[in-house]
């Protein structure tokens, strides 16, 4: 499918994609670009990539470049990469926010817009780094492709084919729709999980609280163990949507607080039942 694939950022997402590109023989060679020597050594030892090279030499002859760093590092990678990229190469990313990267591309790298296919795999987890990368991470997961008017449909199609070849389902939506949906379904829950853990941690009896907390608390807050840098970057690149989602959520919390305080038992019951029905129906639709 490709001659030379370059993965910039061999972490959970980049490393997992590299593993599957190798496993399914989707490229003649796969080269990693790493910030830290430790990640480079681990990636080579685990056989995640064929070689690790500096960005400039890695890009020589590359026909697919995947940027898999935190969001705010992407423009820096593009600045360093731009002079060395062939105009035939397809550029893509795995970033969690799309509108901000598109705006940065338009403002700073207009020459790259015809080759950049923005994409976001809805797969991952709270662990990070190349040691957490694994085969088949994307099997049966959605990958959202957000094609822009500047990029050729044949390049968009190639990115669909890549993700489908590693077992994912691909679908397209606009940048704005993507950022609005994932602010509510992913970014908001992460912020709420961070806040809940910090709320407990701010109590004088914090140790007792964490010791006594049962599986429900640790299930709910699993995602608060996610990488802080990645989540800082998501919050500062999708700020308006996340703040809007937080406003809506705070309204819900205020409503249920008032209902509980009023001791209106039927209202409390209705509120919890409505949530259960909505969640169960959502899960049923996903299983279909
Ligand atoms: P990760 O495991 O932490 O990997 C990030 C990689 O980027 C690491 O290899 C790191 O290098 C490199 N990196 C970090 N900062 C950099 C910088 N300033 N310049 C150059 N390289 C840098 O993160 P991840 O979970 O794979 O996430 C990567 C991207 O995927 C993010 O944009 C994230 O929003 C998106 N995403 C994540 C998930 C998820 O659940 N984790 C899901 C969907 C999308 P070192 O190893 O050398 O530090």
């Amino acid at each position: 499918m490709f001659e030379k694939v370059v993965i910039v950022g061999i972490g959970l997402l980049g490393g997992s994609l590299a593993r599957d590109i190798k496993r399914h023989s989707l490229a003649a060679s796969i080269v990693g670009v790493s910030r830290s020597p430790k990640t480079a050594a681990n990636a080579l030892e685990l056989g995640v990539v064929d070689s690790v090279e500096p960005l400039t030499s890695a890009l020589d002859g590359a026909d697919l470049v995947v940027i898999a760093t935190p969001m705010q590092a992407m423009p820096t990678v593009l600045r360093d990469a731009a002079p060395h990229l062939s105009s035939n190469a397809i550029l893509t990313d795995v970033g969690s926010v799309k509108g901000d990267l598109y705006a940065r591309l338009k403002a700073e790298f207009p020459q790259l817009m015809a080759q950049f296919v923005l994409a976001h795999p809805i797969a991952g987890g709270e662990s990070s780094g190349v040691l957490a990368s694994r085969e088949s991470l994307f099997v049966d997961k959605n990958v959202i492709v957000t094609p822009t008017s500047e990029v050729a449909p044949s390049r968009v199609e190639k990115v669909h084919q890549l993700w489908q070849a590693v077992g994912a389902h691909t679908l397209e939506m606009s940048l704005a729709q993507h950022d609005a949906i994932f602010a509510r379904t992913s970014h908001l829950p992460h912020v709420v999980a961070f806040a809940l853990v910090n709320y407990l941690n701010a109590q004088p009896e914090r140790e007792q609280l964490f010791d006594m907390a049962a599986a429900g608390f640790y299930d709910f807050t699993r995602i608060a163990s996610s990488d802080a840098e990645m989540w800082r970057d998501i919050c500062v690149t999708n700020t308006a949507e996340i703040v809007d989602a937080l406003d809506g959520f705070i309204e819900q919390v205020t409503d249920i607080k008032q209902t509980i305080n009023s001791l209106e038992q039927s209202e409390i019951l209705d509120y919890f039942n409505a949530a259960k029905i909505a969640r169960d129906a959502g899960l049923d639709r996903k299983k279909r």
Side-chain angles (χ1 to χ4, degrees), residues 91-169:
L91 268 168
T92 190
D93 73 307
V94 298
S96 307
V97 181
K98 307 278 57 132
D100 182 79
L101 183 58
Y102 177 70
R104 298 292 294 267
L105 271 171
K106 210 167 179 172
E108 296 173 45
F109 312 99
Q111 76 281 19
L112 299 180
M113 301 208 37
Q115 52 194 129
F116 206 124
V117 182
L118 294 149
H120 175 203
I122 313 305
E126 73 280 14
S127 48
S128 59
V130 69
L131 296 179
S133 69
R134 57 186 184 276
E135 287 180 355
S136 305
L137 178 66
F138 307 105
V139 172
D140 283 337
K141 300 293 183 337
N142 285 331
V143 174
I144 315 296
V145 181
T146 52
T148 59
S149 57
E150 294 86 353
V151 68
S154 59
R155 288 176 163 160
V156 177
E157 185 50 35
K158 206 85 194 263
V159 170
H160 277 279
Q161 286 169 2
L162 165 72
W163 286 109
Q164 287 164 7
V166 299
H169 308 289

Side-chain angles (χ1 to χ4, degrees), residues 9-14 34-36 39 68-71 73-74 94-96 120-121 123-125 128-129 229-230 234:
I10 328 166
L12 172 62
L13 272 279
S34 176
R35 176 177 61 163
S36 77
T39 295
T69 64
M71 292 306 309
M74 291 187 185
V94 298
S96 307
H120 175 203
S128 59
E229 187 182 342
M230 173 179 138
I234 289 170

